[in-house]
Amino acid sequence: MKLMHREIPVELLRKLPAGIKIVNRGGEEFLVIEDVRCPQGHSLAVDSVRIHGEPSIKLHVKVKEDEGSIFVDAFWGSHAKLFSFLPSDLEGEPIVEASCPTCGTSLMEKRDCVLEDCGSNENILLKLPNGRDEIHVCGRLGCPGHQIKLAELPAHVSNAVSEINFFGARFDEMFGDI
Ligand SMILES: [Zn+2]
Ligand SMILES: [Zn+2]
């Protein structure tokens, strides 16, 4: 099964915001989140844990009674994650409470998941370094719902980028193990 390559809108390539880069793998271009911030401006990207060869995004999370760190794949549209702990209760795909690992500020926002059948109204809000571009990620573990809002580009560009989604198995087949 081959990864279905999704086109990156040319308008985005022409005006790539700080914090997003293009990475070429296997002759194809992918968007990679290079830097996202908490509301206080701390960068969440960490070089110490790499996924698919790139620095990952580190979040502190609480899953029901357990808490620890998760490292999220920076490839846009991938949903690979590594846990520093083993959540003991994943029944019903719980919603995580994410916060900045540096200052502890909550990253949660009240916002409906973009996927109607998910039903979550808790999202994780990540800001690009310019402070205006925003990434919204559904807080429900296992839900692929995500959205990007690029303040300086037309809405159709944000919508096209938001629709880029790779499902774990296919992506991992292409790149091998994380
Ligand atoms: Zn912070
Ligand atoms: Zn969701």
Side-chain angles (χ1 to χ4, degrees):
M1 212 186 312
K2 192 182 179 310
L3 174 74
M4 196 192 295
H5 183 58
R6 305 292 290 265
E7 287 296 319
I8 300 168
V10 65
E11 293 101 318
L12 179 69
L13 295 175
R14 278 200 210 110
K15 206 175 176 183
L16 209 57
I20 300 182
K21 68 176 178 181
I22 304 291
V23 165
N24 192 299
R25 294 285 164 87
E28 293 182 352
E29 289 183 327
F30 295 89
L31 289 175
V32 168
I33 304 302
E34 206 176 11
D35 190 8
V36 279
R37 308 276 173 93
C38 88
Q40 310 297 333
H42 299 118
S43 178
L44 305 173
V46 288
D47 200 41
S48 55
V49 176
R50 290 181 162 247
I51 302 181
H52 295 128
E54 295 294 331
S56 62
I57 309 297
K58 182 181 183 184
L59 307 173
H60 183 83
V61 295
K62 194 159 184 262
V63 184
K64 294 186 181 173
E65 299 308 313
D66 304 308
E67 54 189 303
S69 301
I70 57 169
F71 300 89
V72 182
D73 193 356
F75 274 74
W76 181 253
S78 162
H79 302 283
K81 292 178 195 70
L82 297 172
F83 285 77
S84 73
F85 67 113
L86 200 60
S88 55
D89 184 3
L90 293 174
E91 183 89 22
E93 299 187 321
I95 290 170
V96 305
E97 274 178 60
S99 57
C100 171
T102 303
C103 68
T105 300
S106 174
L107 301 171
M108 303 308 292
E109 58 167 353
K110 290 285 176 203
R111 183 184 178 93
D112 290 338
C113 177
V114 290
L115 302 179
E116 269 174 30
D117 55 357
C118 167
S120 159
N121 67 346
E122 300 275 358
N123 270 232
I124 300 167
L125 170 62
L126 306 170
K127 287 184 176 274
L128 288 178
N130 66 17
R132 297 187 304 280
D133 294 335
E134 297 181 336
I135 295 171
H136 307 273
V137 181
C138 180
R140 188 187 294 286
L141 274 179
C143 177
H146 67 248
Q147 200 176 26
I148 193 165
K149 295 275 183 193
L150 297 160
E152 288 174 14
L153 287 164
H156 72 88
V157 177
S158 292
N159 294 340
V161 177
S162 296
E163 281 171 13
I164 298 175
N165 240 327
F166 302 117
F167 291 91
R170 282 193 190 183
F171 197 75
D172 291 341
E173 271 174 33
M174 180 170 176
F175 287 115
D177 291 337
I178 59 175

